[in-house]
Amino acid sequence: MIGRWKRRGNHLATAKLAVRQHRPWYILMGVTLLSAAVLAGIGVLLFHYGEYEGRRDPNAILAVQGASREASRLMQELADTRQKLVAADQQLRLELATRETLSRQLQQLQADNGGLRERVGFYESLLTKTDRAPALAIEVFRVESLSPGHYRLSAILLQGQSSQEAFKGELEFRLTTERNGKRETVVWPQPREPFTVSRFTRLERETNLPVDVALKQVELRIYAAGENRTRLTRVYDVKG
């Protein structure tokens, strides 16, 4: 660089010339990277030194051991809690199953109790029958739904005391069913089923219908053996 010219008397003089040396950029970059690497190495050494000193420090070792024991304790508590939750879930399932079983048993006992009351009433009525009672009567007739499409039909036939001989007859059921709003009557069984009554007898039959068929009404018909004229009839309207 040429400095400013100065006039000194009759002479010209120049300022002192300053010369600076420029280094290439890649050298500067290399120096910078080297410095950073040195600083990083020093940091790593300091970290390992601090870790080593921490291991030698009794207080640090005790702190690490205490933290390890606390973690083990918490893990054990977590395992115990999980076991307790599993046991409580199993106990709850068992109690629910027991409650459901007891509920079904209670319903069955109530149904059996109703049947026993019905039988007691029947026997009481049987004891009060006189010689003027009819030769044959349908004392009880009912229809029970056991499961979808599965029904039990039961009847008690009573013979009057004035009758000396057993009554020999035949029975049939007329089932009124409904499917898709359309009703149909089915005669069952075919041919009619024979039976004998001496004082009294209990008739019980079960029938199965398709699940999509609803039983609406059942008519019990009693015939004398070999006759086509109906002796007795009883109708039962199925609810539901």
Side-chain angles (χ1 to χ4, degrees), residues 161-175:
Q161 296 179 9
S162 59
S163 301
Q164 300 297 324
E165 297 181 358
F167 178 82
K168 295 181 179 181
E170 299 173 345
L171 67 86
E172 72 177 14
F173 298 97
R174 292 179 177 263
L175 310 177

Side-chain angles (χ1 to χ4, degrees), residues 109-129:
L109 288 175
Q110 290 175 345
D112 294 343
N113 189 28
L116 289 175
R117 287 199 302 266
E118 181 181 292
R119 292 186 181 184
V120 170
F122 164 70
Y123 288 120
E124 288 178 349
S125 65
L126 180 62
L127 293 174
T128 59
K129 294 294 182 181

Side-chain angles (χ1 to χ4, degrees), residues 81-97:
T81 303
R82 287 178 177 175
Q83 291 180 355
K84 291 179 181 179
L85 287 176
V86 171
D89 182 68
Q90 293 177 348
Q91 182 67 23
L92 178 60
R93 292 177 182 272
L94 179 61
E95 290 181 357
L96 291 176

Side-chain angles (χ1 to χ4, degrees), residues 194-234:
F195 69 93
T196 301
V197 179
S198 180
R199 293 299 303 277
F200 70 92
T201 189
R202 182 182 182 89
L203 303 174
E204 193 170 278
R205 304 292 183 270
E206 293 185 7
T207 182
N208 289 291
L209 299 175
V211 179
D212 61 339
V213 174
L215 184 62
K216 293 299 183 179
Q217 189 180 81
V218 180
E219 180 184 1
L220 170 61
R221 291 191 176 189
I222 302 296
Y223 302 86
E227 294 184 2
N228 290 324
R229 181 175 63 88
T230 304
R231 289 290 188 94
L232 297 171
T233 183
R234 180 73 66 86

